Amino acid sequence: CSPEGFPQETIHWLKDGEPLQVGGRIKKSGGRSILIQGVERQDRGMYQCLVHNMEDAAQGSSQLKLGDAAPRWVETSGPQVVSPGGSVMLRCVVQGAPPPTLSWTLHNTPVEIQDPRIQASEQVDKDIVMGTLNVSQIRIEDGGLWQCIANNRAGTVSNNDRLNVRGPPAIAPMAPISVVAGRTATFPCQVSGYPIVSIYWEKNGVVLPVSQRQEVHSNGTLEIREVSREADSGKYTCVAKAEAHVAKADLHVEVMVPPHIDERLFSVGSGFPAGSRARIMCVVERGDLPLTFTWAHDGQSLAPGPALSIRSLDEYTSVLLFTSVRPEDVGEYSCSVANAVAQHTRSTQLLVKMAPVWREMPQDKSVVVGTDVTLGCSARGSPTPTVTWRRADGALPRQYMPVQELGENVRIISNSSLSILGVRRDQGGYFLCSASNGVGSELSKAVHLNIK
């Protein structure tokens, strides 16, 4: 707020037409500014600056708008107890920007809004969404955890409210499940009925837990850490007890070993020369069948072609074959293998080796004594070639010695060129530039430097 005029007796601040409460996160800065630290949703709105003296008054305003905000709960129903045949209203109020959309689940299964007994409604007021779910003609199986899920592009939140329906216990059927060996597995037991005295799990007639890896939570969920095929596969039974009734439901658990690619065999070494044959082997050293293999090059899916094929040697091995390696084949290759419970991916860099070729071929030169001279020489290839300079020992190009022996005014600069500052008459003659990278034959050329 930067008013003009004199004198300026007082400055007042309003927010949405009401005096601004200054303190805590909201502070006056320099008498003419308001500083808001850690901006929150309630800080949005219209801010007004009022200035007056004995002669006149003036005002200015500014609106604070906020961008996307993840949903947050304003109000939820909490646990409720009802009798069969009755009705209940579940409510969740959420705030977010843009206004969140709501959905409902029972026992993690989407609620069938088409059920005539269930009616869902929503009311939107700016960034607040008020959702209600009315359930009539309540049944015992309607008991359990009802979940309200709020979602917008900034995030997702969920809230569980338990609905207890008076009656004998009942357990929702549990489909067979496959879990990953070595990880933590959780098995919910969805119990309806009220009141429930206890919920527990059995395996082979023995009440769990029987080891420190197992834990039965108060909501009836069985948790097993570091799952083992030998110890944890089999049939489990969830038992729910009321005063005079008992309900049981079985769960069949299969423990599967996730796939793992052998790192020792998944390698391409230092690369392959251009035009040569090459292969990358993807061998699964452990993991349950069946396995599915997929290949990718720099993140893009690979398909067989004229210069590339994918072969399956057995149920555990997939091979990527190059009939003739090309420069464009360089990059990252990934093998992904999946079974029913997990996926494993391993990647390697393929380098294509190419023999040196001239980028700048050295040329004969004739210069005046005392001037600076540069003999250009550079090559490209993969890996990057090493360029060396030598000078003929004598008038004829027969034996060569390192150029550094010519004097302190001779050096090889960053682009592999040979530089001689203030060349002397005895520094002329034949020079040999060589480029090599271990692929193919060495590339070399002799040039003559004539000193006049």
Side-chain angles (χ1 to χ4, degrees):
C1 181
S2 301
E4 298 178 353
F6 183 83
Q8 297 172 12
E9 296 182 356
T10 57
I11 298 178
H12 295 288
W13 287 91
L14 303 178
K15 178 180 180 292
D16 297 332
E18 300 292 333
L20 177 65
Q21 301 299 316
V22 177
R25 297 181 302 104
I26 303 177
K27 303 176 182 178
K28 287 185 178 180
S29 176
R32 296 187 175 187
S33 300
I34 291 295
L35 174 64
I36 304 177
Q37 297 175 324
V39 175
E40 298 178 358
R41 298 302 299 176
Q42 62 262 33
D43 296 325
R44 63 183 180 165
M46 186 66 71
Y47 289 79
Q48 292 175 285
C49 163
L50 304 180
V51 185
H52 66 86
N53 58 19
M54 296 295 294
E55 301 294 330
D56 203 356
Q59 69 173 0
S61 62
S62 180
Q63 186 175 11
L64 176 59
K65 296 181 178 180
L66 300 182
D68 292 354
R72 68 177 187 89
W73 295 116
V74 177
E75 179 186 344
T76 57
S77 299
Q80 299 186 59
V81 180
V82 296
S83 298
S87 61
V88 69
M89 182 182 74
L90 303 176
R91 175 181 172 88
C92 62
V93 182
V94 65
Q95 183 179 37
T101 58
L102 301 181
S103 59
W104 296 84
T105 67
L106 172 59
H107 300 321
N108 297 318
T109 301
V111 173
E112 296 183 5
I113 305 299
Q114 298 84 355
D115 188 333
R117 301 183 304 117
I118 300 176
Q119 292 183 343
S121 63
E122 292 181 16
Q123 292 183 342
V124 180
D125 181 12
K126 296 180 181 179
D127 61 352
I128 294 180
V129 180
M130 295 164 282
T132 58
L133 192 71
N134 290 288
V135 185
S136 60
Q137 301 174 29
I138 291 289
R139 305 166 182 167
I140 292 178
E141 56 266 29
D142 293 329
L145 287 178
W146 290 74
Q147 184 179 62
C148 179
I149 303 170
N151 172 265
N152 66 10
R153 60 176 176 247
T156 302
V157 294
S158 61
N159 178 76
N160 293 325
D161 283 325
R162 184 160 191 88
L163 178 62
N164 294 308
V165 181
R166 295 184 179 89
I171 302 176
M174 295 178 283
I177 187 172
S178 297
V179 297
V180 182
R183 301 183 187 176
T184 297
T186 56
F187 310 118
C189 182
Q190 309 291 359
V191 177
S192 55
Y194 183 82
I196 302 297
V197 176
S198 64
I199 302 173
Y200 60 91
W201 285 82
E202 296 178 347
K203 185 185 180 189
N204 299 327
V206 178
V207 177
L208 303 181
V210 294
S211 74
Q212 293 183 344
R213 297 185 301 108
Q214 301 172 341
E215 182 179 358
V216 179
H217 296 276
S218 58
N219 63 358
T221 297
L222 171 64
E223 177 180 331
I224 304 179
R225 294 175 287 273
E226 298 178 8
V227 172
S228 163
R229 169 180 282 175
E230 293 75 16
D232 301 319
S233 294
K235 185 178 76 171
Y236 291 76
T237 302
C238 179
V239 182
K241 281 190 174 183
E243 290 294 341
H245 299 86
V246 176
K248 295 184 178 183
D250 293 334
L251 171 65
H252 293 272
V253 175
E254 180 184 13
V255 179
M256 297 189 67
V257 177
H260 188 271
I261 299 170
D262 192 334
E263 182 180 12
R264 298 164 298 176
L265 299 177
F266 193 77
S267 173
V268 293
S270 59
F272 300 96
S276 67
R277 297 187 183 93
R279 69 177 181 177
I280 306 176
M281 294 188 65
C282 185
V283 181
V284 179
E285 60 180 341
R286 62 178 179 270
D288 287 330
L289 300 175
L291 301 172
T292 302
F293 291 86
T294 55
W295 289 88
H297 178 209
D298 289 337
Q300 301 297 317
S301 296
L302 271 179
L308 180 71
S309 62
I310 300 174
R311 296 184 183 177
S312 178
L313 298 187
D314 52 40
E315 294 175 301
Y316 310 98
T317 308
S318 179
V319 183
L320 191 63
L321 294 171
F322 299 85
T323 56
S324 179
V325 175
R326 304 163 299 173
E328 56 264 35
D329 292 327
V330 68
E332 182 184 70
Y333 286 82
S334 301
C335 175
S336 297
V337 59
N339 64 8
V341 291
Q343 175 177 300
H344 186 220
T345 300
R346 201 173 285 283
S347 301
T348 187
Q349 288 288 337
L350 174 64
L351 302 177
V352 179
K353 297 181 178 181
M354 292 177 286
V357 295
W358 290 121
R359 178 180 283 117
E360 181 183 1
M361 185 182 297
Q363 304 291 333
D364 295 340
K365 276 197 175 183
S366 181
V367 297
V368 177
V369 65
T371 59
D372 298 341
V373 61
T374 299
L375 298 177
C377 178
S378 63
R380 65 177 182 271
S382 179
T384 302
T386 299
V387 176
T388 58
W389 281 94
R390 288 171 288 176
R391 178 176 179 264
D393 184 11
L396 297 177
R398 292 176 180 172
Q399 291 185 334
Y400 291 87
M401 64 180 184
V403 293
Q404 286 79 4
E405 297 181 12
L406 279 176
E408 295 182 355
N409 63 333
V410 179
R411 62 191 180 96
I412 299 174
I413 57 181
S414 58
N415 64 355
S416 304
S417 297
L418 179 66
S419 172
I420 306 177
L421 304 178
V423 64
R424 303 191 304 267
R425 190 174 298 277
D426 63 348
Q427 291 180 320
Y430 284 95
F431 289 81
L432 181 69
C433 178
S434 302
S436 62
N437 62 357
V439 183
S441 301
E442 180 181 83
L443 189 67
S444 63
K445 185 181 179 185
V447 295
H448 185 262
L449 176 60
N450 181 40
I451 310 298
K452 298 184 289 184

